[in-house]
Structure formats: structure tokens, C-alpha cells
Amino acid sequence: MRGLNTRGVGGHAPLEEQQQNLMALQDSSQTEDYIKALHENTLSFYQKWVNSRLDKSKLEEELTPQINCRVCWESDEHETFLTLCRCKGTSAHIHRSCLEKWLAKSDTSHCEICGYSYNIIRTPRYNVRESIPIWLKHGAHRDLLFDAISFFAFAPLVVVSTYLGVVVSLHHFDLGDSVEVDMPRSHMVTAGVLGLMLTLDYSFMLWLFTRVRHHRSRWYLWWRRHSVVKVVVPLQTSYGEMVEDGNKEGCTLK
Ligand SMILES: [Zn+2]
Ligand SMILES: [Zn+2]
């Protein structure tokens, strides 16, 4: 026992003393029985130390595996948990309502982790006509306002330039082969005005087309994300983890 502090072994010695004992043991030449006894006493000490600091019921609760929803991390047992996809472990369980909200918001029908394709029914919350005012009020971006201002600023210019181009062209053709007019010069002016008019019209229409398409796709995404999604739960998954709970609205875990 030389060189070893055995006072606290088996009792409530501080952790530092246990550490010192183990350090001293490294340099000692103790017998196998002594080392075994020291090992058992050390284990006993740690067990008492842990028990004195943890409430038993709390410890049991911590050791019991808990099922949590992978979206909200709640373990609310009053709501149905689904395990339809191929995810395992902590990602396996998800509340039905959380899954349906997530599928609606993300505008997808797949599991984002394993790629499993859910069987869903997506119903738009608003029809097209009633969705547009709501989108303009709540979902539209600021660049829509900028584009609207640009449209009302440039559209009159395009109309006026088109009108002038047409008038100049008609006037040019009315002149015919009049000898009083410098025809080559008149041809050049008319061609220049027409070219300018067509370039302006084409640019404006191209800009209008791309901006309308851009805002339409944004509205469409918003419209889909405000759908109501219902997950169709199969009678039993291929993994045998689900059984029907009888009300057709959901399945419960075995
Ligand atoms: Zn949840
Ligand atoms: Zn998955």
C-alpha cells in the first residue's frame, strides 16, 4: 500500500484524491488483487457520487429514449407521429401537421433528407382571382412597384415614338418621286426613324415580357406555398412501422 492514498476509496473522497490514487498506481508494483479492489471501490465511489447528484426519476427519464419530431423537436404524444420515409434515428419521426406544413411551405413532395416521395394532395388555399390581390398586399416584392413605375414612365414614350415612326413613314411614301425632295436623304431619314422605332419597341416588349414572366413565377410560387397539403398515409408502410389507427386520418406508431 505504499505511496497510495486509500483513505477515500469506497467513501466520499473528492475526485482529486481518486485521481491521485490512479496516478500513484501507475508507478507502483501492487498485486493484481489490490488493483482489482481499487477498481471496484472506484466504481462504487462514482456510482454513489452520481446517485447523490441525480434524482432517480430524472435519471430514468434521461435514460429512456424519447421520440421527438424532427421539425419542431417537440415530443407531443397527442399528435400523430409519422415515419413514412426512409430516415432513421432522430430524423425518423415527424408530426403529421409539421410534415404537411413543411411540404406546403417548401413546395415539394419529397423528404429533404432521404428523397422519399410522399403521396400528397395539394389544394390551393385561394383561387387565382382572389390570390392576386392578397399576393400584391402581402407577398409581392418591392421590385414589382419599381417595374410598375418604369412601365408607366416608358410606355407613353414607346407609344409616341411608334406613332411618329408611322407618320414619318407614311409621309415618305406619299412623297412618291417628287423632284422637289432630296429622295436619297428622305430614304435615310425614314429608315433611321423606323429603325429607332423598332429597336425601342422591341426592347420595351422584351423587358416587359421578362418582367411579367419573373413576377408571374414569383406569384405562382407564393400561390403554391399557400396551399393546403394532406399526406396520404398508406395502410402499412413497406417497413412495417405503421399501423392504421382506424380513423383513416393518420397512423400511430406500434
Ligand atoms: Zn412537430
Ligand atoms: Zn426521409
Side-chain angles (χ1 to χ4, degrees):
M1 303 287 172
R2 59 187 179 281
L4 286 174
N5 178 8
T6 57
R7 179 177 58 80
V9 175
H12 293 277
L15 282 172
E16 291 77 16
E17 288 185 24
Q18 296 296 323
Q19 194 177 13
Q20 283 170 9
N21 283 337
L22 291 171
M23 295 283 286
L25 185 63
Q26 282 185 330
D27 301 325
S28 69
S29 56
Q30 302 301 323
T31 63
E32 193 176 326
D33 289 342
Y34 173 74
I35 294 171
K36 194 176 173 185
L38 181 62
H39 178 67
E40 286 171 358
N41 283 334
T42 306
L43 280 179
S44 169
F45 164 77
Y46 279 115
Q47 197 168 11
K48 286 176 183 172
W49 184 79
V50 168
N51 286 342
S52 67
R53 281 160 178 77
L54 284 176
D55 181 68
K56 201 170 181 182
S57 59
K58 195 177 172 187
L59 185 64
E60 283 173 359
E61 189 180 300
E62 286 182 6
L63 292 175
T64 307
Q66 200 173 24
I67 295 173
N68 292 86
C69 170
R70 75 164 182 250
V71 173
C72 67
W73 286 100
E74 294 292 329
S75 57
D76 184 4
E77 293 172 0
H78 299 294
E79 198 176 344
T80 308
F81 273 114
L82 297 180
T83 55
L84 293 175
C85 70
R86 292 183 287 269
C87 290
K88 300 289 178 193
T90 54
S91 302
H93 301 92
I94 188 167
H95 286 132
R96 170 188 270 271
S97 64
C98 291
L99 175 62
E100 289 174 342
K101 277 182 204 162
W102 182 83
L103 290 174
K105 289 279 176 196
S106 60
D107 188 27
T108 183
S109 60
H110 297 85
C111 170
E112 79 280 18
I113 301 169
C114 68
Y116 175 84
S117 182
Y118 294 104
N119 187 11
I120 63 168
I121 299 169
R122 189 183 293 272
T123 313
R125 190 166 299 182
Y126 314 106
N127 63 38
V128 173
R129 194 190 297 173
E130 67 185 11
S131 74
I132 290 173
I134 298 169
W135 174 69
L136 287 173
K137 198 172 179 184
H138 301 290
H141 291 249
R142 193 171 289 179
D143 57 349
L144 178 66
L145 179 66
F146 179 76
D147 286 342
I149 292 170
S150 302
F151 173 80
F152 287 112
F154 288 108
L157 293 177
V158 172
V159 171
V160 169
S161 77
T162 306
Y163 173 75
L164 289 176
V166 171
V167 168
V168 168
S169 303
L170 290 175
H171 180 67
H172 173 74
F173 289 119
D174 283 345
L175 290 175
D177 294 328
S178 173
V179 289
E180 296 172 4
V181 179
D182 183 357
M183 287 312 289
R185 195 172 179 181
S186 178
H187 284 317
M188 275 180 56
V189 171
T190 306
V193 169
L194 277 175
L196 206 63
M197 180 197 81
L198 290 173
T199 305
L200 198 63
D201 287 359
Y202 177 76
S203 304
F204 181 75
M205 294 310 290
L206 188 66
W207 171 82
L208 190 62
F209 174 75
T210 52
R211 297 315 292 170
V212 167
R213 200 172 164 193
H214 168 75
H215 292 299
R216 185 200 166 279
S217 63
R218 278 198 167 170
W219 161 79
Y220 184 67
L221 192 63
W222 176 90
W223 186 55
R224 281 186 63 89
R225 285 180 174 172
H226 284 75
S227 301
V228 176
V229 168
K230 282 276 167 203
V231 175
V232 179
V233 181
L235 212 58
Q236 186 172 6
T237 69
S238 57
Y239 306 99
E241 291 174 327
M242 311 288 298
V243 291
E244 194 177 26
D245 67 358
N247 62 8
K248 207 68 180 167
E249 270 298 304
C251 294
T252 52
L253 293 170
K254 269 181 181 175

PDB file of all heavy atoms in Angstrom, residues 211-235:
ATOM      1  N   ARG A 211     -40.080  40.811 -67.341  1.00  0.00           N
ATOM      2  CA  ARG A 211     -40.530  41.227 -66.004  1.00  0.00           C
ATOM      3  C   ARG A 211     -41.869  40.597 -65.639  1.00  0.00           C
ATOM      4  O   ARG A 211     -42.082  40.191 -64.500  1.00  0.00           O
ATOM      5  CB  ARG A 211     -40.647  42.762 -65.919  1.00  0.00           C
ATOM      6  CG  ARG A 211     -39.354  43.503 -66.094  1.00  0.00           C
ATOM      7  CD  ARG A 211     -38.217  42.908 -65.302  1.00  0.00           C
ATOM      8  NE  ARG A 211     -38.382  43.053 -63.867  1.00  0.00           N
ATOM      9  CZ  ARG A 211     -37.621  42.450 -62.965  1.00  0.00           C
ATOM     10  NH1 ARG A 211     -36.656  41.635 -63.354  1.00  0.00           N
ATOM     11  NH2 ARG A 211     -37.821  42.637 -61.674  1.00  0.00           N
ATOM     12  N   VAL A 212     -42.764  40.485 -66.630  1.00  0.00           N
ATOM     13  CA  VAL A 212     -44.061  39.840 -66.358  1.00  0.00           C
ATOM     14  C   VAL A 212     -43.839  38.368 -66.017  1.00  0.00           C
ATOM     15  O   VAL A 212     -44.434  37.827 -65.077  1.00  0.00           O
ATOM     16  CB  VAL A 212     -45.003  39.990 -67.577  1.00  0.00           C
ATOM     17  CG1 VAL A 212     -46.208  39.073 -67.450  1.00  0.00           C
ATOM     18  CG2 VAL A 212     -45.471  41.432 -67.699  1.00  0.00           C
ATOM     19  N   ARG A 213     -42.952  37.746 -66.763  1.00  0.00           N
ATOM     20  CA  ARG A 213     -42.658  36.336 -66.505  1.00  0.00           C
ATOM     21  C   ARG A 213     -42.046  36.146 -65.107  1.00  0.00           C
ATOM     22  O   ARG A 213     -42.380  35.205 -64.386  1.00  0.00           O
ATOM     23  CB  ARG A 213     -41.677  35.851 -67.577  1.00  0.00           C
ATOM     24  CG  ARG A 213     -41.660  34.372 -67.721  1.00  0.00           C
ATOM     25  CD  ARG A 213     -40.836  33.979 -68.903  1.00  0.00           C
ATOM     26  NE  ARG A 213     -40.501  32.575 -68.828  1.00  0.00           N
ATOM     27  CZ  ARG A 213     -39.603  31.995 -69.580  1.00  0.00           C
ATOM     28  NH1 ARG A 213     -38.953  32.698 -70.463  1.00  0.00           N
ATOM     29  NH2 ARG A 213     -39.353  30.726 -69.470  1.00  0.00           N
ATOM     30  N   HIS A 214     -41.137  37.053 -64.760  1.00  0.00           N
ATOM     31  CA  HIS A 214     -40.491  37.000 -63.445  1.00  0.00           C
ATOM     32  C   HIS A 214     -41.524  37.128 -62.315  1.00  0.00           C
ATOM     33  O   HIS A 214     -41.537  36.330 -61.370  1.00  0.00           O
ATOM     34  CB  HIS A 214     -39.473  38.144 -63.371  1.00  0.00           C
ATOM     35  CG  HIS A 214     -38.933  38.405 -62.009  1.00  0.00           C
ATOM     36  ND1 HIS A 214     -38.004  37.576 -61.405  1.00  0.00           N
ATOM     37  CD2 HIS A 214     -39.191  39.395 -61.113  1.00  0.00           C
ATOM     38  CE1 HIS A 214     -37.725  38.045 -60.208  1.00  0.00           C
ATOM     39  NE2 HIS A 214     -38.419  39.135 -60.000  1.00  0.00           N
ATOM     40  N   HIS A 215     -42.413  38.105 -62.427  1.00  0.00           N
ATOM     41  CA  HIS A 215     -43.407  38.315 -61.365  1.00  0.00           C
ATOM     42  C   HIS A 215     -44.462  37.205 -61.367  1.00  0.00           C
ATOM     43  O   HIS A 215     -44.969  36.835 -60.310  1.00  0.00           O
ATOM     44  CB  HIS A 215     -44.062  39.687 -61.527  1.00  0.00           C
ATOM     45  CG  HIS A 215     -43.108  40.813 -61.271  1.00  0.00           C
ATOM     46  ND1 HIS A 215     -42.486  40.999 -60.050  1.00  0.00           N
ATOM     47  CD2 HIS A 215     -42.633  41.791 -62.078  1.00  0.00           C
ATOM     48  CE1 HIS A 215     -41.684  42.046 -60.115  1.00  0.00           C
ATOM     49  NE2 HIS A 215     -41.753  42.544 -61.330  1.00  0.00           N
ATOM     50  N   ARG A 216     -44.745  36.683 -62.542  1.00  0.00           N
ATOM     51  CA  ARG A 216     -45.708  35.588 -62.595  1.00  0.00           C
ATOM     52  C   ARG A 216     -45.159  34.357 -61.866  1.00  0.00           C
ATOM     53  O   ARG A 216     -45.870  33.699 -61.116  1.00  0.00           O
ATOM     54  CB  ARG A 216     -46.019  35.240 -64.054  1.00  0.00           C
ATOM     55  CG  ARG A 216     -47.096  34.191 -64.194  1.00  0.00           C
ATOM     56  CD  ARG A 216     -47.084  33.511 -65.546  1.00  0.00           C
ATOM     57  NE  ARG A 216     -47.901  32.313 -65.546  1.00  0.00           N
ATOM     58  CZ  ARG A 216     -47.519  31.124 -65.088  1.00  0.00           C
ATOM     59  NH1 ARG A 216     -46.314  30.978 -64.565  1.00  0.00           N
ATOM     60  NH2 ARG A 216     -48.333  30.086 -65.121  1.00  0.00           N
ATOM     61  N   SER A 217     -43.867  34.058 -62.084  1.00  0.00           N
ATOM     62  CA  SER A 217     -43.286  32.883 -61.416  1.00  0.00           C
ATOM     63  C   SER A 217     -43.218  33.099 -59.909  1.00  0.00           C
ATOM     64  O   SER A 217     -43.402  32.164 -59.132  1.00  0.00           O
ATOM     65  CB  SER A 217     -41.904  32.563 -61.984  1.00  0.00           C
ATOM     66  OG  SER A 217     -41.027  33.610 -61.728  1.00  0.00           O
ATOM     67  N   ARG A 218     -43.002  34.341 -59.493  1.00  0.00           N
ATOM     68  CA  ARG A 218     -42.995  34.624 -58.048  1.00  0.00           C
ATOM     69  C   ARG A 218     -44.394  34.455 -57.442  1.00  0.00           C
ATOM     70  O   ARG A 218     -44.553  33.913 -56.359  1.00  0.00           O
ATOM     71  CB  ARG A 218     -42.512  36.052 -57.792  1.00  0.00           C
ATOM     72  CG  ARG A 218     -41.023  36.156 -57.795  1.00  0.00           C
ATOM     73  CD  ARG A 218     -40.571  37.420 -57.141  1.00  0.00           C
ATOM     74  NE  ARG A 218     -39.150  37.374 -56.876  1.00  0.00           N
ATOM     75  CZ  ARG A 218     -38.450  38.412 -56.487  1.00  0.00           C
ATOM     76  NH1 ARG A 218     -39.043  39.567 -56.312  1.00  0.00           N
ATOM     77  NH2 ARG A 218     -37.169  38.303 -56.253  1.00  0.00           N
ATOM     78  N   TRP A 219     -45.380  34.948 -58.166  1.00  0.00           N
ATOM     79  CA  TRP A 219     -46.750  34.786 -57.681  1.00  0.00           C
ATOM     80  C   TRP A 219     -47.116  33.297 -57.615  1.00  0.00           C
ATOM     81  O   TRP A 219     -47.715  32.841 -56.640  1.00  0.00           O
ATOM     82  CB  TRP A 219     -47.727  35.516 -58.623  1.00  0.00           C
ATOM     83  CG  TRP A 219     -49.126  35.015 -58.447  1.00  0.00           C
ATOM     84  CD1 TRP A 219     -49.995  35.351 -57.451  1.00  0.00           C
ATOM     85  CD2 TRP A 219     -49.789  34.023 -59.248  1.00  0.00           C
ATOM     86  NE1 TRP A 219     -51.168  34.641 -57.579  1.00  0.00           N
ATOM     87  CE2 TRP A 219     -51.061  33.816 -58.681  1.00  0.00           C
ATOM     88  CE3 TRP A 219     -49.430  33.299 -60.384  1.00  0.00           C
ATOM     89  CZ2 TRP A 219     -51.977  32.916 -59.214  1.00  0.00           C
ATOM     90  CZ3 TRP A 219     -50.333  32.395 -60.917  1.00  0.00           C
ATOM     91  CH2 TRP A 219     -51.593  32.223 -60.334  1.00  0.00           C
ATOM     92  N   TYR A 220     -46.713  32.570 -58.656  1.00  0.00           N
ATOM     93  CA  TYR A 220     -47.064  31.150 -58.721  1.00  0.00           C
ATOM     94  C   TYR A 220     -46.449  30.384 -57.549  1.00  0.00           C
ATOM     95  O   TYR A 220     -47.097  29.539 -56.932  1.00  0.00           O
ATOM     96  CB  TYR A 220     -46.578  30.572 -60.052  1.00  0.00           C
ATOM     97  CG  TYR A 220     -46.977  29.133 -60.267  1.00  0.00           C
ATOM     98  CD1 TYR A 220     -48.319  28.789 -60.442  1.00  0.00           C
ATOM     99  CD2 TYR A 220     -46.025  28.120 -60.282  1.00  0.00           C
ATOM    100  CE1 TYR A 220     -48.696  27.467 -60.630  1.00  0.00           C
ATOM    101  CE2 TYR A 220     -46.397  26.799 -60.470  1.00  0.00           C
ATOM    102  CZ  TYR A 220     -47.729  26.480 -60.648  1.00  0.00           C
ATOM    103  OH  TYR A 220     -48.095  25.174 -60.824  1.00  0.00           O
ATOM    104  N   LEU A 221     -45.190  30.697 -57.235  1.00  0.00           N
ATOM    105  CA  LEU A 221     -44.509  30.050 -56.105  1.00  0.00           C
ATOM    106  C   LEU A 221     -45.229  30.382 -54.798  1.00  0.00           C
ATOM    107  O   LEU A 221     -45.456  29.516 -53.954  1.00  0.00           O
ATOM    108  CB  LEU A 221     -43.056  30.529 -56.060  1.00  0.00           C
ATOM    109  CG  LEU A 221     -42.120  29.761 -55.138  1.00  0.00           C
ATOM    110  CD1 LEU A 221     -41.986  28.316 -55.583  1.00  0.00           C
ATOM    111  CD2 LEU A 221     -40.744  30.413 -55.104  1.00  0.00           C
ATOM    112  N   TRP A 222     -45.581  31.650 -54.633  1.00  0.00           N
ATOM    113  CA  TRP A 222     -46.297  32.081 -53.427  1.00  0.00           C
ATOM    114  C   TRP A 222     -47.646  31.364 -53.337  1.00  0.00           C
ATOM    115  O   TRP A 222     -48.049  30.902 -52.270  1.00  0.00           O
ATOM    116  CB  TRP A 222     -46.504  33.600 -53.495  1.00  0.00           C
ATOM    117  CG  TRP A 222     -47.309  34.157 -52.357  1.00  0.00           C
ATOM    118  CD1 TRP A 222     -46.842  34.606 -51.163  1.00  0.00           C
ATOM    119  CD2 TRP A 222     -48.736  34.311 -52.313  1.00  0.00           C
ATOM    120  NE1 TRP A 222     -47.879  35.028 -50.368  1.00  0.00           N
ATOM    121  CE2 TRP A 222     -49.054  34.858 -51.055  1.00  0.00           C
ATOM    122  CE3 TRP A 222     -49.765  34.046 -53.213  1.00  0.00           C
ATOM    123  CZ2 TRP A 222     -50.358  35.144 -50.674  1.00  0.00           C
ATOM    124  CZ3 TRP A 222     -51.069  34.323 -52.828  1.00  0.00           C
ATOM    125  CH2 TRP A 222     -51.349  34.870 -51.573  1.00  0.00           C
ATOM    126  N   TRP A 223     -48.316  31.278 -54.474  1.00  0.00           N
ATOM    127  CA  TRP A 223     -49.642  30.641 -54.520  1.00  0.00           C
ATOM    128  C   TRP A 223     -49.543  29.174 -54.112  1.00  0.00           C
ATOM    129  O   TRP A 223     -50.352  28.675 -53.332  1.00  0.00           O
ATOM    130  CB  TRP A 223     -50.180  30.773 -55.949  1.00  0.00           C
ATOM    131  CG  TRP A 223     -51.586  30.301 -56.144  1.00  0.00           C
ATOM    132  CD1 TRP A 223     -52.696  30.709 -55.459  1.00  0.00           C
ATOM    133  CD2 TRP A 223     -52.036  29.335 -57.105  1.00  0.00           C
ATOM    134  NE1 TRP A 223     -53.811  30.066 -55.936  1.00  0.00           N
ATOM    135  CE2 TRP A 223     -53.437  29.216 -56.948  1.00  0.00           C
ATOM    136  CE3 TRP A 223     -51.403  28.579 -58.083  1.00  0.00           C
ATOM    137  CZ2 TRP A 223     -54.204  28.365 -57.730  1.00  0.00           C
ATOM    138  CZ3 TRP A 223     -52.178  27.738 -58.871  1.00  0.00           C
ATOM    139  CH2 TRP A 223     -53.557  27.637 -58.690  1.00  0.00           C
ATOM    140  N   ARG A 224     -48.533  28.461 -54.619  1.00  0.00           N
ATOM    141  CA  ARG A 224     -48.355  27.046 -54.282  1.00  0.00           C
ATOM    142  C   ARG A 224     -47.959  26.877 -52.819  1.00  0.00           C
ATOM    143  O   ARG A 224     -48.371  25.928 -52.159  1.00  0.00           O
ATOM    144  CB  ARG A 224     -47.293  26.420 -55.187  1.00  0.00           C
ATOM    145  CG  ARG A 224     -47.821  26.085 -56.568  1.00  0.00           C
ATOM    146  CD  ARG A 224     -46.793  25.339 -57.373  1.00  0.00           C
ATOM    147  NE  ARG A 224     -46.433  24.050 -56.800  1.00  0.00           N
ATOM    148  CZ  ARG A 224     -47.060  22.903 -57.068  1.00  0.00           C
ATOM    149  NH1 ARG A 224     -48.085  22.895 -57.884  1.00  0.00           N
ATOM    150  NH2 ARG A 224     -46.652  21.776 -56.527  1.00  0.00           N
ATOM    151  N   ARG A 225     -47.137  27.794 -52.332  1.00  0.00           N
ATOM    152  CA  ARG A 225     -46.698  27.674 -50.939  1.00  0.00           C
ATOM    153  C   ARG A 225     -47.810  27.995 -49.950  1.00  0.00           C
ATOM    154  O   ARG A 225     -47.664  27.732 -48.760  1.00  0.00           O
ATOM    155  CB  ARG A 225     -45.498  28.590 -50.689  1.00  0.00           C
ATOM    156  CG  ARG A 225     -44.237  28.026 -51.296  1.00  0.00           C
ATOM    157  CD  ARG A 225     -43.047  28.901 -51.069  1.00  0.00           C
ATOM    158  NE  ARG A 225     -41.840  28.240 -51.541  1.00  0.00           N
ATOM    159  CZ  ARG A 225     -40.657  28.810 -51.613  1.00  0.00           C
ATOM    160  NH1 ARG A 225     -40.515  30.065 -51.249  1.00  0.00           N
ATOM    161  NH2 ARG A 225     -39.621  28.143 -52.047  1.00  0.00           N
ATOM    162  N   HIS A 226     -48.873  28.595 -50.435  1.00  0.00           N
ATOM    163  CA  HIS A 226     -50.025  28.840 -49.571  1.00  0.00           C
ATOM    164  C   HIS A 226     -51.128  27.825 -49.844  1.00  0.00           C
ATOM    165  O   HIS A 226     -52.316  28.129 -49.693  1.00  0.00           O
ATOM    166  CB  HIS A 226     -50.535  30.269 -49.746  1.00  0.00           C
ATOM    167  CG  HIS A 226     -49.657  31.268 -49.056  1.00  0.00           C
ATOM    168  ND1 HIS A 226     -48.436  31.649 -49.552  1.00  0.00           N
ATOM    169  CD2 HIS A 226     -49.801  31.923 -47.882  1.00  0.00           C
ATOM    170  CE1 HIS A 226     -47.876  32.511 -48.726  1.00  0.00           C
ATOM    171  NE2 HIS A 226     -48.672  32.696 -47.707  1.00  0.00           N
ATOM    172  N   SER A 227     -50.720  26.647 -50.241  1.00  0.00           N
ATOM    173  CA  SER A 227     -51.681  25.567 -50.447  1.00  0.00           C
ATOM    174  C   SER A 227     -51.880  24.811 -49.133  1.00  0.00           C
ATOM    175  O   SER A 227     -51.112  24.962 -48.189  1.00  0.00           O
ATOM    176  CB  SER A 227     -51.160  24.587 -51.498  1.00  0.00           C
ATOM    177  OG  SER A 227     -50.929  25.241 -52.701  1.00  0.00           O
ATOM    178  N   VAL A 228     -52.904  23.991 -49.141  1.00  0.00           N
ATOM    179  CA  VAL A 228     -53.131  23.083 -48.015  1.00  0.00           C
ATOM    180  C   VAL A 228     -52.703  21.692 -48.478  1.00  0.00           C
ATOM    181  O   VAL A 228     -53.198  21.203 -49.488  1.00  0.00           O
ATOM    182  CB  VAL A 228     -54.618  23.082 -47.603  1.00  0.00           C
ATOM    183  CG1 VAL A 228     -54.853  22.068 -46.490  1.00  0.00           C
ATOM    184  CG2 VAL A 228     -55.042  24.472 -47.168  1.00  0.00           C
ATOM    185  N   VAL A 229     -51.746  21.116 -47.756  1.00  0.00           N
ATOM    186  CA  VAL A 229     -51.218  19.807 -48.152  1.00  0.00           C
ATOM    187  C   VAL A 229     -51.727  18.738 -47.197  1.00  0.00           C
ATOM    188  O   VAL A 229     -51.708  18.922 -45.981  1.00  0.00           O
ATOM    189  CB  VAL A 229     -49.671  19.824 -48.153  1.00  0.00           C
ATOM    190  CG1 VAL A 229     -49.114  18.414 -48.278  1.00  0.00           C
ATOM    191  CG2 VAL A 229     -49.151  20.681 -49.289  1.00  0.00           C
ATOM    192  N   LYS A 230     -52.206  17.656 -47.761  1.00  0.00           N
ATOM    193  CA  LYS A 230     -52.623  16.499 -46.957  1.00  0.00           C
ATOM    194  C   LYS A 230     -51.771  15.306 -47.371  1.00  0.00           C
ATOM    195  O   LYS A 230     -51.673  14.990 -48.561  1.00  0.00           O
ATOM    196  CB  LYS A 230     -54.097  16.168 -47.208  1.00  0.00           C
ATOM    197  CG  LYS A 230     -55.040  17.101 -46.478  1.00  0.00           C
ATOM    198  CD  LYS A 230     -55.244  16.642 -45.055  1.00  0.00           C
ATOM    199  CE  LYS A 230     -55.920  17.727 -44.227  1.00  0.00           C
ATOM    200  NZ  LYS A 230     -55.659  17.577 -42.803  1.00  0.00           N
ATOM    201  N   VAL A 231     -51.145  14.674 -46.404  1.00  0.00           N
ATOM    202  CA  VAL A 231     -50.338  13.488 -46.695  1.00  0.00           C
ATOM    203  C   VAL A 231     -51.244  12.265 -46.654  1.00  0.00           C
ATOM    204  O   VAL A 231     -51.974  12.062 -45.688  1.00  0.00           O
ATOM    205  CB  VAL A 231     -49.202  13.330 -45.659  1.00  0.00           C
ATOM    206  CG1 VAL A 231     -48.435  12.040 -45.891  1.00  0.00           C
ATOM    207  CG2 VAL A 231     -48.262  14.518 -45.723  1.00  0.00           C
ATOM    208  N   VAL A 232     -51.208  11.501 -47.728  1.00  0.00           N
ATOM    209  CA  VAL A 232     -51.995  10.265 -47.777  1.00  0.00           C
ATOM    210  C   VAL A 232     -51.149   9.155 -47.168  1.00  0.00           C
ATOM    211  O   VAL A 232     -50.089   8.811 -47.686  1.00  0.00           O
ATOM    212  CB  VAL A 232     -52.372   9.914 -49.233  1.00  0.00           C
ATOM    213  CG1 VAL A 232     -53.159   8.618 -49.272  1.00  0.00           C
ATOM    214  CG2 VAL A 232     -53.149  11.053 -49.862  1.00  0.00           C
ATOM    215  N   VAL A 233     -51.614   8.649 -46.039  1.00  0.00           N
ATOM    216  CA  VAL A 233     -50.843   7.630 -45.320  1.00  0.00           C
ATOM    217  C   VAL A 233     -51.259   6.250 -45.808  1.00  0.00           C
ATOM    218  O   VAL A 233     -52.445   5.928 -45.811  1.00  0.00           O
ATOM    219  CB  VAL A 233     -51.092   7.742 -43.804  1.00  0.00           C
ATOM    220  CG1 VAL A 233     -50.283   6.698 -43.051  1.00  0.00           C
ATOM    221  CG2 VAL A 233     -50.735   9.133 -43.330  1.00  0.00           C
ATOM    222  N   PRO A 234     -50.313   5.448 -46.243  1.00  0.00           N
ATOM    223  CA  PRO A 234     -50.668   4.095 -46.692  1.00  0.00           C
ATOM    224  C   PRO A 234     -51.125   3.242 -45.519  1.00  0.00           C
ATOM    225  O   PRO A 234     -50.844   3.544 -44.357  1.00  0.00           O
ATOM    226  CB  PRO A 234     -49.362   3.567 -47.281  1.00  0.00           C
ATOM    227  CG  PRO A 234     -48.292   4.381 -46.649  1.00  0.00           C
ATOM    228  CD  PRO A 234     -48.880   5.714 -46.345  1.00  0.00           C
ATOM    229  N   LEU A 235     -51.811   2.152 -45.849  1.00  0.00           N
ATOM    230  CA  LEU A 235     -52.334   1.266 -44.805  1.00  0.00           C
ATOM    231  C   LEU A 235     -51.209   0.741 -43.928  1.00  0.00           C
ATOM    232  O   LEU A 235     -51.290   0.686 -42.727  1.00  0.00           O
ATOM    233  CB  LEU A 235     -53.078   0.102 -45.474  1.00  0.00           C
ATOM    234  CG  LEU A 235     -54.262  -0.444 -44.694  1.00  0.00           C
ATOM    235  CD1 LEU A 235     -55.268   0.656 -44.451  1.00  0.00           C
ATOM    236  CD2 LEU A 235     -54.908  -1.587 -45.455  1.00  0.00           C
TER     237      LEU A 235
END
